C-alpha cells in the first residue's frame, strides 16, 4: 500500500501527521510494522515528542498519514555570486540545502497575532517571547528580488522596504522589486 511504501522510507524516529481534512494531529513515529497489508504505526509516550497514548480526537478509517519534514528557508549567496532563496531539509541528522529561487536578495517574515484585542504583525522573536506561536493566525512573507546584471542602467538605488525593514542595495545594474504575500492560517486555535 502507499502507507507501507512511505513508512519503508522513514528513518525512525520520524515526525508525522494524521488528518481527515477536518482535524489533524502531529506526532513522532517510533516504530512501524507491516503484516499482510495491515500497517501498524507506533508512537512512544515516554519521550518529549508524544504526550499521550491515544490521539484526541480519534480518527475514522481512511485517515491520511503524512510524513513530515523539518525545513528551513533562508537567503544566501549561490554559485555565480547572485543571491538565492534556499530550502534546507533536515534528513538523517543533517541539513541538506538546495537553492530554489535565484535572485532573492532579502526575505522578511512577520506573524499576525491578536493580543489584548489588538491585531498586530510581529517578528518571530517577539511572538516567541510574547503570545506564542499558538496565537498566530496569519503570516506575511516579503522578498526583495534582484534581476540579472544589466537589467537596468548602472546606478544607485534607494533602500527598499520589505515588510517594514529597509534594505540597502549596492550600486549596480540589477533591477529590483519587492513582492509581499499574506497567508491566513485556518488551523489556528484562539
Amino acid at each position: 500500500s502507499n502507507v507501507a511504501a512511505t513508512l519503508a522510507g522513514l528513518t525512525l524516529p520520524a515526525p508525522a501527521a494524521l488528518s481527515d481534512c477536518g482535524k489533524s494531529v502531529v506526532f513522532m513515529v517510533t516504530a512501524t510494522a507491516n503484516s499482510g497489508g495491515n500497517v501498524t504505526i507506533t508512537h512512544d509516550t515516554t519521550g518529549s515528542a508524544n504526550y499521550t497514548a491515544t490521539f484526541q480526537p480519534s480518527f475514522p478509517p481512511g485517515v491520511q498519514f503524512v510524513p513530515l519534514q523539518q525545513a528551513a528557508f533562508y537567503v544566501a549567496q549561490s554559485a555565480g555570486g547572485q543571491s538565492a532563496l534556499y530550502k534546507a531539509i533536515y534528513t538523517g541528522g543533517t541539513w541538506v540545502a538546495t537553492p530554489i529561487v535565484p535572485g532573492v536578495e532579502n526575505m522578511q517574515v512577520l506573524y499576525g497575532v491578536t493580543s489584548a484585542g489588538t491585531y498586530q504583525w510581529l517578528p518571530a522573536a517577539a511572538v516567541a517571547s510574547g503570545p506564542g506561536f499558538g496565537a498566530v493566525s496569519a503570516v506575511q512573507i516579503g522578498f526583495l528580488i534582484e534581476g540579472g546584471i544589466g537589467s537596468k542602467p548602472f546606478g544607485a538605488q534607494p533602500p527598499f522596504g520589505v515588510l517594514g525593514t529597509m534594505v540597502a542595495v549596492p550600486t549596480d545594474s540589477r533591477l529590483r522589486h519587492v513582492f509581499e504575500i499574506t497567508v491566513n492560517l485556518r488551523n489556528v486555535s484562539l
Side-chain angles (χ1 to χ4, degrees), residues 3-180:
V3 172
T6 300
L7 290 174
L10 287 180
T11 301
L12 299 177
L18 290 177
S19 177
D20 64 4
C21 296
K23 56 192 174 294
S24 298
V25 64
V26 176
F27 62 100
M28 188 67 71
V29 176
T30 55
T32 63
N34 185 355
S35 176
N38 292 322
V39 176
T40 302
I41 301 169
T42 305
H43 72 285
D44 182 11
T45 60
T46 60
S48 61
N50 303 308
Y51 295 103
T52 63
T54 59
F55 296 135
Q56 295 298 326
S58 61
F59 290 92
V63 68
Q64 292 290 313
F65 170 79
V66 181
L68 301 177
Q69 294 180 325
Q70 185 175 357
F73 295 89
Y74 62 94
V75 174
Q77 193 170 6
S78 64
Q82 188 177 25
S83 60
L85 177 64
Y86 278 76
K87 178 180 181 181
I89 301 290
Y90 190 71
T91 306
T94 61
W95 287 96
V96 178
T98 307
I100 57 174
V101 181
V104 176
E105 192 168 3
N106 188 280
M107 178 179 72
Q108 298 293 321
V109 179
L110 294 175
Y111 300 89
V113 298
T114 302
S115 179
T118 303
Y119 195 79
Q120 54 188 325
W121 292 99
L122 301 173
V127 174
S129 66
F133 284 95
V136 173
S137 60
V139 177
Q140 284 186 331
I141 306 169
F143 299 98
L144 175 60
I145 308 293
E146 63 184 14
I149 294 174
S151 54
K152 78 161 196 67
F154 186 85
Q157 296 180 64
F160 287 83
V162 183
L163 294 179
T165 298
M166 298 309 290
V167 180
V169 297
T171 299
D172 61 14
S173 62
R174 294 183 187 270
L175 182 65
R176 291 173 172 82
H177 190 80
V178 174
F179 294 92
E180 297 176 346

